[in-house]
Amino acid sequence: MTQKPIEKITQAEYQVMEILWEQAPLAASQIAKLIAPQTSWSLTTVKTLLARLTEKSILKHQQEGRRFLYEPTISRSDYTKVETRQFVDKLFNGRAAPLVAHLAQSPNGLSADDIAELEILLESLKNDAQ
């Protein structure tokens, strides 16, 4: 059985996911309270976002009494991998080198720490390939 591709989530949906990746399972009212300092969303808005994420199979829920508890079906790490792959495929023809070159040439460039981390990563990849 082939797995359904992960759908892209909006910035608003991502804010909800950030909370759930940290503290799931949670009820809609708990999420609304936690997200309130960053947004002015009502409980209805949060429930709408939860419904969208559930439709996209990014969240699942289980009933506990009169409320539903929501939790991610995908880890933050796995979602990041999917998004990164799609980004690199779309903008850099699936190649990492042009992405790194673009980052290096951007106004903020790469810091010495970034370069050191990349060197360690490249060395590790070379060793794994041998």
Side-chain angles (χ1 to χ4, degrees), residues 13-99:
E13 292 166 345
Y14 191 83
Q15 287 181 269
V16 170
M17 290 304 299
E18 284 288 339
I19 289 170
L20 287 165
W21 279 320
E22 293 295 323
Q23 301 183 42
L26 292 172
S29 60
Q30 293 171 303
I31 296 165
K33 280 183 189 172
L34 291 168
I35 210 163
Q38 299 99 347
T39 70
S40 58
W41 298 341
S42 68
L43 178 58
T44 304
T45 300
V46 171
K47 286 181 176 182
T48 297
L49 293 169
L50 291 169
R52 285 185 200 163
L53 287 162
T54 302
E55 285 176 27
K56 293 177 180 183
S57 299
I58 304 285
L59 289 181
K60 63 181 178 179
H61 59 77
Q62 62 185 35
Q63 193 161 359
E64 182 184 86
R66 295 182 58 203
R67 65 184 188 164
F68 288 101
L69 296 179
Y70 294 86
E71 61 185 302
T73 60
I74 184 170
S75 69
R76 177 189 279 128
S77 174
D78 287 345
Y79 185 75
T80 300
K81 287 175 189 173
V82 169
E83 280 290 306
T84 302
R85 180 79 269 156
Q86 290 174 352
F87 174 78
V88 172
D89 287 348
K90 179 179 176 181
L91 297 179
F92 298 98
N93 294 322
R95 297 188 56 236
L99 168 63

